[in-house]
Amino acid sequence: MVLQFIQQIEQPNGYWLVEFEQKNTQPVPVNLQLTINEIALQLFAQQDNRLQFLTTQAVSLPPGSEFNASKNSQAWLFLPELVNNLLPNHPILIVASGIEMATAFYLSKTLSQNFDVRTILHTADTFPFQIKPARFMFADFPAYAIGASTLLEDWKVPNRLCCNTFLPGSYEGSLSELLTEWTPPSDWQTLDCNQL
């Protein structure tokens, strides 16, 4: 697929949203990842023929330049096949670490239209947004971890944050440590964006 570079917008804490236009409006894989000059870009959103990717560095492409996003060794996963494997009456827990947070945002927004979705984002040190106090409850979650992503809450997706280092409002530890201390209810379905 050929993508045309449109722009990039700096986000908090050294992250960037990079926008491309594709020549058609064909859906792309939810786990689409690009590599440009050894910089990993993870799909954050698709609207018609516009694609946004999250990355931890600015890309050095002139506006209007074209980039050939050829298929890599990654197993691409498209939204219809993902949805077909989900049970409609069971809540979905989306978890993601690092740059795969972009996939969690994409799936949270898309799936919350038809499913009961909750999201946990993990980072080693910083998030691509400012942490705000959560407005939505998260049953039995560690009480001190009340930070959330405002964007996810705007989409009415309850969410919590987890960080290896201390960040106010976040669970302090890895995602696996969190899931050892806190267990989601047995009827929840888990989508691990790190494994897609």
Side-chain angles (χ1 to χ4, degrees), residues 169-183:
S170 296
Y171 174 86
E172 188 175 355
S174 69
L175 196 52
S176 59
E177 289 170 331
L178 169 65
L179 293 174
T180 299
E181 183 176 335
W182 174 80
T183 305

PDB file of all heavy atoms in Angstrom, residues 169-183:
ATOM      1  N   GLY A 169      -0.886   8.609  40.140  1.00  0.00           N
ATOM      2  CA  GLY A 169      -2.141   8.120  39.583  1.00  0.00           C
ATOM      3  C   GLY A 169      -2.030   6.787  38.875  1.00  0.00           C
ATOM      4  O   GLY A 169      -3.030   6.168  38.542  1.00  0.00           O
ATOM      5  N   SER A 170      -0.799   6.313  38.640  1.00  0.00           N
ATOM      6  CA  SER A 170      -0.603   5.048  37.934  1.00  0.00           C
ATOM      7  C   SER A 170      -0.246   3.926  38.899  1.00  0.00           C
ATOM      8  O   SER A 170       0.378   4.177  39.935  1.00  0.00           O
ATOM      9  CB  SER A 170       0.541   5.165  36.914  1.00  0.00           C
ATOM     10  OG  SER A 170       0.224   6.085  35.923  1.00  0.00           O
ATOM     11  N   TYR A 171      -0.614   2.709  38.527  1.00  0.00           N
ATOM     12  CA  TYR A 171      -0.141   1.538  39.257  1.00  0.00           C
ATOM     13  C   TYR A 171       1.355   1.449  39.029  1.00  0.00           C
ATOM     14  O   TYR A 171       1.816   1.548  37.887  1.00  0.00           O
ATOM     15  CB  TYR A 171      -0.847   0.275  38.753  1.00  0.00           C
ATOM     16  CG  TYR A 171      -0.302  -0.988  39.352  1.00  0.00           C
ATOM     17  CD1 TYR A 171      -0.772  -1.448  40.572  1.00  0.00           C
ATOM     18  CD2 TYR A 171       0.702  -1.701  38.703  1.00  0.00           C
ATOM     19  CE1 TYR A 171      -0.264  -2.611  41.132  1.00  0.00           C
ATOM     20  CE2 TYR A 171       1.217  -2.868  39.261  1.00  0.00           C
ATOM     21  CZ  TYR A 171       0.739  -3.312  40.479  1.00  0.00           C
ATOM     22  OH  TYR A 171       1.258  -4.456  41.036  1.00  0.00           O
ATOM     23  N   GLU A 172       2.134   1.269  40.071  1.00  0.00           N
ATOM     24  CA  GLU A 172       3.590   1.199  39.928  1.00  0.00           C
ATOM     25  C   GLU A 172       4.011  -0.257  39.772  1.00  0.00           C
ATOM     26  O   GLU A 172       3.948  -1.043  40.707  1.00  0.00           O
ATOM     27  CB  GLU A 172       4.296   1.832  41.121  1.00  0.00           C
ATOM     28  CG  GLU A 172       5.795   1.943  40.920  1.00  0.00           C
ATOM     29  CD  GLU A 172       6.493   2.679  42.058  1.00  0.00           C
ATOM     30  OE1 GLU A 172       5.807   3.185  42.971  1.00  0.00           O
ATOM     31  OE2 GLU A 172       7.727   2.737  42.022  1.00  0.00           O
ATOM     32  N   GLY A 173       4.419  -0.613  38.557  1.00  0.00           N
ATOM     33  CA  GLY A 173       4.849  -1.974  38.268  1.00  0.00           C
ATOM     34  C   GLY A 173       4.565  -2.324  36.814  1.00  0.00           C
ATOM     35  O   GLY A 173       4.034  -1.522  36.052  1.00  0.00           O
ATOM     36  N   SER A 174       4.921  -3.527  36.454  1.00  0.00           N
ATOM     37  CA  SER A 174       4.700  -4.003  35.088  1.00  0.00           C
ATOM     38  C   SER A 174       3.253  -4.453  34.921  1.00  0.00           C
ATOM     39  O   SER A 174       2.517  -4.627  35.900  1.00  0.00           O
ATOM     40  CB  SER A 174       5.646  -5.162  34.774  1.00  0.00           C
ATOM     41  OG  SER A 174       5.271  -6.302  35.542  1.00  0.00           O
ATOM     42  N   LEU A 175       2.874  -4.686  33.696  1.00  0.00           N
ATOM     43  CA  LEU A 175       1.530  -5.177  33.400  1.00  0.00           C
ATOM     44  C   LEU A 175       1.319  -6.559  34.019  1.00  0.00           C
ATOM     45  O   LEU A 175       0.261  -6.842  34.583  1.00  0.00           O
ATOM     46  CB  LEU A 175       1.328  -5.218  31.882  1.00  0.00           C
ATOM     47  CG  LEU A 175      -0.071  -5.346  31.347  1.00  0.00           C
ATOM     48  CD1 LEU A 175      -1.009  -4.298  31.928  1.00  0.00           C
ATOM     49  CD2 LEU A 175      -0.063  -5.243  29.827  1.00  0.00           C
ATOM     50  N   SER A 176       2.341  -7.417  33.950  1.00  0.00           N
ATOM     51  CA  SER A 176       2.197  -8.755  34.541  1.00  0.00           C
ATOM     52  C   SER A 176       2.086  -8.679  36.066  1.00  0.00           C
ATOM     53  O   SER A 176       1.343  -9.447  36.676  1.00  0.00           O
ATOM     54  CB  SER A 176       3.349  -9.670  34.119  1.00  0.00           C
ATOM     55  OG  SER A 176       4.581  -9.142  34.519  1.00  0.00           O
ATOM     56  N   GLU A 177       2.807  -7.728  36.701  1.00  0.00           N
ATOM     57  CA  GLU A 177       2.679  -7.552  38.154  1.00  0.00           C
ATOM     58  C   GLU A 177       1.268  -7.086  38.513  1.00  0.00           C
ATOM     59  O   GLU A 177       0.674  -7.555  39.482  1.00  0.00           O
ATOM     60  CB  GLU A 177       3.713  -6.546  38.661  1.00  0.00           C
ATOM     61  CG  GLU A 177       5.133  -7.075  38.633  1.00  0.00           C
ATOM     62  CD  GLU A 177       6.172  -5.998  38.908  1.00  0.00           C
ATOM     63  OE1 GLU A 177       5.929  -4.821  38.588  1.00  0.00           O
ATOM     64  OE2 GLU A 177       7.237  -6.353  39.437  1.00  0.00           O
ATOM     65  N   LEU A 178       0.742  -6.156  37.715  1.00  0.00           N
ATOM     66  CA  LEU A 178      -0.619  -5.681  37.950  1.00  0.00           C
ATOM     67  C   LEU A 178      -1.618  -6.827  37.848  1.00  0.00           C
ATOM     68  O   LEU A 178      -2.482  -7.001  38.703  1.00  0.00           O
ATOM     69  CB  LEU A 178      -0.990  -4.585  36.955  1.00  0.00           C
ATOM     70  CG  LEU A 178      -2.474  -4.200  36.922  1.00  0.00           C
ATOM     71  CD1 LEU A 178      -2.911  -3.586  38.239  1.00  0.00           C
ATOM     72  CD2 LEU A 178      -2.767  -3.278  35.772  1.00  0.00           C
ATOM     73  N   LEU A 179      -1.486  -7.639  36.794  1.00  0.00           N
ATOM     74  CA  LEU A 179      -2.446  -8.719  36.574  1.00  0.00           C
ATOM     75  C   LEU A 179      -2.280  -9.861  37.567  1.00  0.00           C
ATOM     76  O   LEU A 179      -3.149 -10.720  37.684  1.00  0.00           O
ATOM     77  CB  LEU A 179      -2.358  -9.214  35.129  1.00  0.00           C
ATOM     78  CG  LEU A 179      -2.810  -8.182  34.093  1.00  0.00           C
ATOM     79  CD1 LEU A 179      -2.548  -8.677  32.672  1.00  0.00           C
ATOM     80  CD2 LEU A 179      -4.269  -7.794  34.276  1.00  0.00           C
ATOM     81  N   THR A 180      -1.168  -9.865  38.306  1.00  0.00           N
ATOM     82  CA  THR A 180      -1.005 -10.811  39.411  1.00  0.00           C
ATOM     83  C   THR A 180      -1.745 -10.295  40.637  1.00  0.00           C
ATOM     84  O   THR A 180      -2.385 -11.052  41.365  1.00  0.00           O
ATOM     85  CB  THR A 180       0.492 -11.007  39.736  1.00  0.00           C
ATOM     86  OG1 THR A 180       1.134 -11.526  38.589  1.00  0.00           O
ATOM     87  CG2 THR A 180       0.689 -11.950  40.906  1.00  0.00           C
ATOM     88  N   GLU A 181      -1.677  -8.977  40.855  1.00  0.00           N
ATOM     89  CA  GLU A 181      -2.333  -8.358  42.017  1.00  0.00           C
ATOM     90  C   GLU A 181      -3.827  -8.168  41.799  1.00  0.00           C
ATOM     91  O   GLU A 181      -4.618  -8.283  42.726  1.00  0.00           O
ATOM     92  CB  GLU A 181      -1.680  -7.000  42.304  1.00  0.00           C
ATOM     93  CG  GLU A 181      -2.236  -6.307  43.521  1.00  0.00           C
ATOM     94  CD  GLU A 181      -1.523  -5.009  43.840  1.00  0.00           C
ATOM     95  OE1 GLU A 181      -0.354  -4.852  43.468  1.00  0.00           O
ATOM     96  OE2 GLU A 181      -2.161  -4.135  44.462  1.00  0.00           O
ATOM     97  N   TRP A 182      -4.224  -7.832  40.565  1.00  0.00           N
ATOM     98  CA  TRP A 182      -5.621  -7.562  40.251  1.00  0.00           C
ATOM     99  C   TRP A 182      -6.061  -8.515  39.150  1.00  0.00           C
ATOM    100  O   TRP A 182      -5.454  -8.578  38.086  1.00  0.00           O
ATOM    101  CB  TRP A 182      -5.794  -6.117  39.795  1.00  0.00           C
ATOM    102  CG  TRP A 182      -7.181  -5.805  39.314  1.00  0.00           C
ATOM    103  CD1 TRP A 182      -8.268  -5.531  40.074  1.00  0.00           C
ATOM    104  CD2 TRP A 182      -7.624  -5.759  37.956  1.00  0.00           C
ATOM    105  NE1 TRP A 182      -9.371  -5.313  39.274  1.00  0.00           N
ATOM    106  CE2 TRP A 182      -8.993  -5.443  37.967  1.00  0.00           C
ATOM    107  CE3 TRP A 182      -6.994  -5.954  36.723  1.00  0.00           C
ATOM    108  CZ2 TRP A 182      -9.750  -5.321  36.802  1.00  0.00           C
ATOM    109  CZ3 TRP A 182      -7.739  -5.838  35.556  1.00  0.00           C
ATOM    110  CH2 TRP A 182      -9.104  -5.512  35.609  1.00  0.00           C
ATOM    111  N   THR A 183      -7.120  -9.257  39.401  1.00  0.00           N
ATOM    112  CA  THR A 183      -7.623 -10.211  38.411  1.00  0.00           C
ATOM    113  C   THR A 183      -8.948  -9.721  37.866  1.00  0.00           C
ATOM    114  O   THR A 183      -9.869  -9.441  38.637  1.00  0.00           O
ATOM    115  CB  THR A 183      -7.822 -11.602  39.052  1.00  0.00           C
ATOM    116  OG1 THR A 183      -6.590 -12.005  39.649  1.00  0.00           O
ATOM    117  CG2 THR A 183      -8.235 -12.626  38.014  1.00  0.00           C
TER     118      THR A 183
END
